[in-house]
Amino acid sequence: MPAMRVRQAIATAIADEMRTDPTVIVFGEDIAAAEGPFKTTEGLLEEFGPVRVRDTPISEMAFTGAAVGAATMGMKPVIEIMFIEFLGVALDQLVTEGAKMRYLSNGQLSVPMVVRASVGGGLGFGGQHSQTLENWVAATPGLKVLAPSDAQSAYSLLRAAIQDPDPVMFLESRVTYAERGEVDTNLKMEIGKARVVKPGKDLTIVALGQMTNVARQAAATSGIDIEIIDLCTIVPWDKKTVLESVKKTGRLVVVEEQPESGGWGSEVVAAVVAELFADLKTVPIRITCPNVPVPYNGGLEARFLPNPVEVNYQIDQLMATGKAPQPWWTREGF
Amino acid sequence: MSKGLERRKAILSDPVAQFERAVEIREFENQINALFASGTIRGTTHLCLGQEALVIGMASVLRTDDPVSATYRSHGIALALGITPESAMGEIMGKAIGCCGGLGGSMHLCDIELGLLPTSAIIGGGMPIAAGAALAFQIQGNDRVAVALFGDGATNIGAFHETLNLAAIWKLPVVFICDNNVYAEYSRINLTTPIEDLHIRAESYAMPHFALDGMDIDAVREGVQSAVDRARSGGGPTLIEAKTYRFAGHSRADQALYRPEGELDSWKSRDPLLLLEERVKKSGKMTESEIAEMKVRIAKEIEATVALCQAAPEPTTKTMFENIWSRKVSQ
Ligand SMILES: Cc1ncc(C[n+]2csc(CCOP(=O)(O)OP(=O)(O)O)c2C)c(N)n1
Ligand SMILES: [Mg+2]
């Protein structure tokens, strides 16, 4: 199995789909000649040429909508929104137009497109270039929302996303782009199916994107036998895998890279409470970012993001008291 | 008077101070580049090397109560408007002395006293804001003018077109200044835009428009002044296209290998610093040796700024919970 960086796994997944399906086309800002600001489209222009691989002007609304239109007429566009924040200027075309096409055509139209976007903090890009913003897209019926966490899931999930007949939002943790991992190109991953990345029996962590790595690091130094679930799909999320795990462990900790308000973890906690109330040994908790913008300063940005030390602190407190520990900002009086 | 206001006043009409400010910006940007290259500063940065005449020319004809909305390519415009080097560099280093307390970074400089609105890292993001500021001035009946500074690439985003149209029909006192530095990231403007002269886009909004030589401070001053005068006197908005060139790559990591051979050199023969130097020499305002001394002095000052900012304290954790809402609400 080849080891590749996450960014290469993404480029490889797109290339493999383009080889098998001539309707797959790719566009975005500086993704062709420059091979992407994060080199996630390396080699595509060279292999597939300028008809299928295109640079766009700085016009996210136009090219997102163009992807919707092309998708309705038999193409499979894979477009890149460089930083998820730039989706703000194109949101209408994705959530109000694209995601409604099947419904408002009474099932006659399909919109098989993928919107890839880099997300997340940790690199010092400041308040307008560091958010994850899953909740901008998670509340739109008709959209599927995916988030890989490593090279294998980036490869396999992106192939699944491109093959899918519905619009898919594909959220890539920017800090993981340079990380290497083994990739089995024959391994299929399904939309809506989570991965148990570490088995354990005492407590279940559900994480997403770069928080999966944080969970792994926390588990590696924890005295508790932790099971880690990489959710992979936010919409429609894999209730079955999560419920099975929590039924076994009796404890749930969600680790989210998001301000506390409105995060996807609330959905997970609500479902677990509703369905497994009697099986829970402790209250389910969420470990999130505080409700503030992402600070630029390196020390503050590191505090802002959930980290292994805080995850283990929360877990240890939970195990010791059975109660939900306070988040660090409440403990410190902010 | 604050140091920033003094610095602003200095460049209003004195060609020597204008030249010195350009040397300061050049020196500042070179230091920032080195600090990023050495890993001392994290994140990303967008230098304005080669575009000094535009920002200083603009700042020298605006009043401090004329707000400017600009972009992530923010260092030059901020220094031109008068922000102190330690306030800007402190911010870029994420220090508490920075103009945003170290929470904003290179792309988000701000100084309300000097008219610098928080710079936006979203293409086109500042344009409607400038129009809105101008709307306030129009309703309030004062003679303030708002200015939006943005790149050539921004003329392809919806906000540009919507804002031009809105400003035109409402006759808002706003000046739109497009800094056409030929590139948007790694794409030459001709690859993404079917016209060469971007200012003609204002024609379809029945808005006055023209191009000017952005390397020549006198051309900038004259052009911006005419648009500001029109706006101040109730004549409505103007779109100005300043023809400049980005001497460095788009951002920190970019070596700009996509540029045609010779293009950079041909623009460098009209380096705004050379033109500003000639200007003070010709008028007899500075001698060769005075210029050399001044350059050494400014280089030393910026080195001292680097040292000062490196030694400055980090922001406290508390600061990231401030300025979210008008008052603290416990969450
Ligand atoms: C809405 C949006 N899309 C894309 C970007 C990414 N981006 C940052 S700078 C840039 C190029 C802008 O070029 P131009 O407007 O010419 O300004 P310059 O950088 O040359 O000053 C792009 C595409 C962004 N910041 N915002
Ligand atoms: Mg440009």
Side-chain angles (χ1 to χ4, degrees), chain A residues 84 117-121 130-132 171-175 177 210 257:
Chain A
I84 186 71
S118 80
V119 306
S130 302
Q131 304 167 92
T132 55
L171 305 171
E172 302 162 2
S173 249
R174 199 172 306 113
V175 290
Y177 278 148
Q210 66 163 311
E257 184 186 354

Side-chain angles (χ1 to χ4, degrees), chain A residues 261-306:
Chain A
S261 296
W264 55 265
S266 304
E267 291 284 315
V268 175
V269 168
V272 164
V273 169
E275 308 220 12
L276 295 178
F277 194 65
D279 299 287
L280 289 171
K281 297 179 186 142
T282 52
V283 62
I285 63 167
R286 294 168 63 219
I287 299 172
T288 68
C289 307
N291 283 323
V292 303
V294 186
Y296 167 70
N297 172 275
L300 297 190
E301 188 179 20
R303 291 228 65 187
F304 172 87
L305 295 168

Side-chain angles (χ1 to χ4, degrees), chain A:
Chain A
M1 277 198 297
M4 48 177 106
R5 295 188 193 279
V6 169
R7 62 174 178 76
Q8 292 167 322
I10 289 163
T12 307
I14 301 172
D16 286 348
E17 281 304 314
M18 291 184 86
R19 280 181 207 120
T20 48
D21 183 346
T23 67
V24 176
I25 54 174
V26 181
F27 44 95
E29 289 158 17
D30 286 312
I31 61 98
E35 305 188 310
F38 306 113
K39 290 277 180 280
T40 49
T41 48
E42 205 166 39
L44 298 184
L45 176 65
E46 196 185 332
E47 181 173 350
F48 301 102
V51 171
R52 294 178 70 193
V53 182
R54 296 169 181 245
D55 283 324
T56 67
I58 309 174
S59 307
E60 282 85 359
M61 178 168 34
F63 77 72
T64 303
V68 174
T72 62
M73 296 295 146
M75 305 307 290
K76 286 189 184 158
V78 179
I79 63 170
E80 176 171 301
I81 300 282
M82 200 183 302
F83 286 75
I84 186 71
E85 283 83 355
F86 312 160
L87 186 64
V89 302
L91 206 56
D92 164 64
Q93 293 295 318
L94 181 65
V95 309
T96 311
E97 310 294 344
K100 310 281 188 286
M101 277 285 166
R102 183 181 300 281
Y103 191 77
L104 295 179
S105 67
N106 205 12
Q108 297 177 90
L109 289 176
S110 275
V111 185
M113 65 184 273
V114 178
V115 181
R116 299 178 36 244
S118 80
V119 306
L123 295 171
F125 282 120
Q128 294 185 338
H129 280 65
S130 302
Q131 304 167 92
T132 55
L133 298 176
E134 296 106 359
N135 50 12
W136 275 14
V137 283
T140 295
L143 267 190
K144 292 170 180 167
V145 185
L146 271 54
S149 66
D150 58 11
Q152 182 69 62
S153 57
Y155 178 84
S156 298
L157 286 174
L158 185 50
R159 291 206 66 172
I162 297 171
Q163 288 165 16
D164 197 81
D166 293 314
V168 177
M169 188 77 219
F170 198 78
L171 305 171
E172 302 162 2
S173 249
R174 199 172 306 113
V175 290
T176 67
Y177 278 148
E179 284 170 16
R180 272 178 200 281
E182 306 245 297
V183 174
D184 174 358
T185 53
N186 292 315
L187 185 99
K188 292 211 171 9
M189 286 176 68
E190 273 173 57
I191 294 178
K193 191 97 190 62
R195 281 194 308 182
V196 178
V197 293
K198 180 195 168 295
K201 57 179 186 0
D202 293 333
L203 183 146
T204 302
I205 292 184
V206 178
L208 190 79
Q210 66 163 311
M211 290 301 115
T212 306
N213 285 337
V214 169
R216 279 186 219 257
Q217 287 162 31
T221 56
S222 173
I224 292 140
D225 189 12
I226 296 173
E227 177 148 300
I228 301 173
I229 296 177
D230 176 5
L231 198 60
C232 296
T233 303
I234 307 170
V235 183
W237 67 278
D238 185 355
K239 239 186 221 179
K240 185 164 169 280
T241 298
V242 172
L243 292 178
E244 269 170 19
S245 172
V246 180
K247 196 167 173 57
K248 175 179 74 180
T249 62
R251 297 182 183 91
L252 171 68
V253 174
V254 180
V255 185
E256 277 169 89
E257 184 186 354
Q258 271 260 92
E260 189 181 20
S261 296
W264 55 265
S266 304
E267 291 284 315
V268 175
V269 168
V272 164
V273 169
E275 308 220 12
L276 295 178
F277 194 65
D279 299 287
L280 289 171
K281 297 179 186 142
T282 52
V283 62
I285 63 167
R286 294 168 63 219
I287 299 172
T288 68
C289 307
N291 283 323
V292 303
V294 186
Y296 167 70
N297 172 275
L300 297 190
E301 188 179 20
R303 291 228 65 187
F304 172 87
L305 295 168
N307 58 67
V309 174
E310 176 67 10
V311 170
N312 277 333
Y313 172 85
Q314 294 273 330
I315 288 175
D316 291 344
Q317 289 293 307
L318 181 71
M319 296 300 284
T321 66
K323 293 199 192 112
Q326 291 180 327
W328 65 265
W329 53 92
T330 309
R331 299 198 306 271
E332 294 179 26
F334 297 123

Side-chain angles (χ1 to χ4, degrees), chain A residues 29-30 58-60 82-83 85-86 89 129, chain B residues 46 51 71-73 121-124 150-155 157 179-185 189 246 250:
Chain A
E29 289 158 17
D30 286 312
I58 309 174
S59 307
E60 282 85 359
M82 200 183 302
F83 286 75
E85 283 83 355
F86 312 160
V89 302
H129 280 65
Chain B
H46 308 79
Q51 298 166 235
T71 74
Y72 51 88
R73 202 171 295 289
I122 301 298
I123 302 301
F150 49 91
D152 44 283
T155 65
I157 203 137
D179 168 10
N180 183 354
N181 61 9
V182 189
Y183 288 87
E185 278 192 355
I189 184 72
R246 199 187 71 198
H250 167 67

